Amino acid sequence: VQLQASGGGLAQPGGYLRVSCVVSGSIFSIEDMGWYRPGPMNQREFVASITNGGTTNYADSVKGRFTISRDNAKNTVYLQMNNLKPGDTAVYYCNAEVYGADYQLVDYWGQGTLVTVSS
């Protein structure tokens, strides 16, 4: 199973970007999917998550500005980021809990995509 993130880039403060992450490989089903970024101590900090039923959860710092969604037919999770702030600058990592063909639930991470917010 592999996670491939894309869509990062440069945006101005107040601007927007959308990042995507595609899950591929031997997949039976995908449970929760989410996005993380490094925190102040360089630990992975939660940004947003979505269950396979569509229930979403957000960090307080992005609530009202970011929207997470998923396309189960495409095994893809998206993060629409609006009203971007310089503090949103980070490498964004996607995460997925995947049941493989062996019916074992494994936590997978993508390689990250860089989002830079600067004027």
Side-chain angles (χ1 to χ4, degrees), residues 38-87:
M41 303 297 291
N42 211 33
Q43 78 287 5
R44 283 192 182 169
E45 178 181 83
F46 171 77
V47 175
S49 66
I50 184 168
T51 68
N52 61 5
T55 300
T56 58
N57 192 23
Y58 297 93
D60 287 343
S61 59
V62 306
K63 209 170 284 186
R65 300 187 298 121
F66 290 10
T67 302
I68 189 170
S69 61
R70 63 191 283 173
D71 184 333
N72 290 332
K74 296 181 179 179
N75 293 337
T76 301
V77 62
Y78 306 95
L79 185 68
Q80 177 69 42
M81 301 180 286
N82 296 334
N83 191 19
L84 282 162
K85 303 176 180 181

Side-chain angles (χ1 to χ4, degrees), residues 8-17 65 81 83-90 92 114-119:
L10 175 65
Q12 292 187 340
Y16 62 90
L17 281 173
R65 300 187 298 121
M81 301 180 286
N83 191 19
L84 282 162
K85 303 176 180 181
D88 294 320
T89 295
Y92 284 73
L114 176 62
V115 171
T116 303
V117 184
S118 175
S119 55

